[in-house]
Amino acid sequence: MIDLSRLDLNAPEEPAERTEAPQPLQLATTRYQNWRPDGGYLPVGVTVGRPRFVRYDYVTVSVLAPHELMKGRFAKIDNIEIERKIYRERLRVCEPEILDALDELARKYPDVPAALMCFEDVNGGLDCHRRWAAEWFGQRFGWDVPELPNPAGTGPARPARPKAPEPPTLF
């Protein structure tokens, strides 16, 4: 956990200061449910816990997980702006470890792009720390980290069950 005691949660968010860092590997983001083995991306979990429904192997980059938002005083917070500031502080403070973790992925899996994964359906309009990380990578280093398209299209992943017909009435 990082020290958030000096972070002013009421101040406007500052953009990341631009610096140069080579992008060690091609990155994209997606949700666990959307990753497909034939998509060509190394699956990389960036969550605190492992999803129970995932039946495939994936690599974890724990330093990109939103630990401060899952444990401690901010665990039950329901304010996207504050959650975003807290997570962006994690990115700022942990930058060397993040770059080291991405360099390690590039060494272990040369020439394989990586998909940073979590749970939220950003194509459905939800905010998500993986997209905050992608935005930060762009601001800080100039990296382009797109969201992969939903393989099922923009509609729901599973069609709604048809409703049972109304029983006929006697009147």
Side-chain angles (χ1 to χ4, degrees):
M1 299 274 275
I2 61 173
D3 179 14
L4 297 170
S5 62
R6 290 179 279 167
L7 182 62
D8 184 355
L9 297 175
N10 297 314
E13 185 178 309
E14 296 287 326
E17 182 180 325
R18 186 65 176 262
T19 189
E20 293 302 317
Q23 187 169 348
L25 73 165
Q26 181 184 346
L27 296 170
T29 63
T30 194
R31 59 196 297 226
Y32 287 109
Q33 296 92 322
N34 290 351
W35 182 83
R36 298 291 181 265
D38 59 353
Y41 284 85
L42 173 71
V44 178
V46 294
T47 53
V48 174
R50 179 175 175 83
R52 291 184 202 128
F53 60 85
V54 169
R55 301 288 182 240
Y56 54 85
D57 291 331
Y58 64 89
V59 178
T60 300
V61 175
S62 181
V63 71
L64 284 170
H67 295 277
E68 294 74 22
L69 299 175
M70 304 307 287
K71 300 175 183 171
R73 75 181 234 219
F74 296 108
K76 303 273 186 214
I77 193 168
D78 189 20
N79 183 319
I80 291 296
E81 290 178 22
I82 291 177
E83 290 177 35
R84 180 181 161 92
K85 286 178 189 173
I86 292 167
Y87 184 70
R88 297 262 308 205
E89 180 68 3
R90 163 169 275 286
L91 297 173
R92 187 188 70 76
V93 169
C94 298
E95 180 180 313
E97 292 89 352
I98 292 167
L99 293 176
D100 286 347
L102 295 177
D103 284 339
E104 182 67 19
L105 281 179
R107 279 192 299 278
K108 284 185 176 178
Y109 305 95
D111 303 319
V112 178
L116 306 178
M117 303 182 303
C118 72
F119 299 98
E120 282 71 30
D121 182 7
V122 299
N123 292 321
L126 296 178
D127 278 304
C128 174
H129 75 281
R130 73 176 186 264
R131 292 307 309 154
W132 298 338
E135 180 183 290
W136 182 79
F137 288 140
Q139 287 177 351
R140 182 77 172 137
F141 308 119
W143 302 353
D144 180 35
V145 182
E147 174 73 9
L148 295 176
N150 181 345
T154 56
R158 185 179 318 162
R161 287 185 176 171
K163 292 185 178 186
E166 293 285 327
T169 62
L170 297 175
F171 303 99

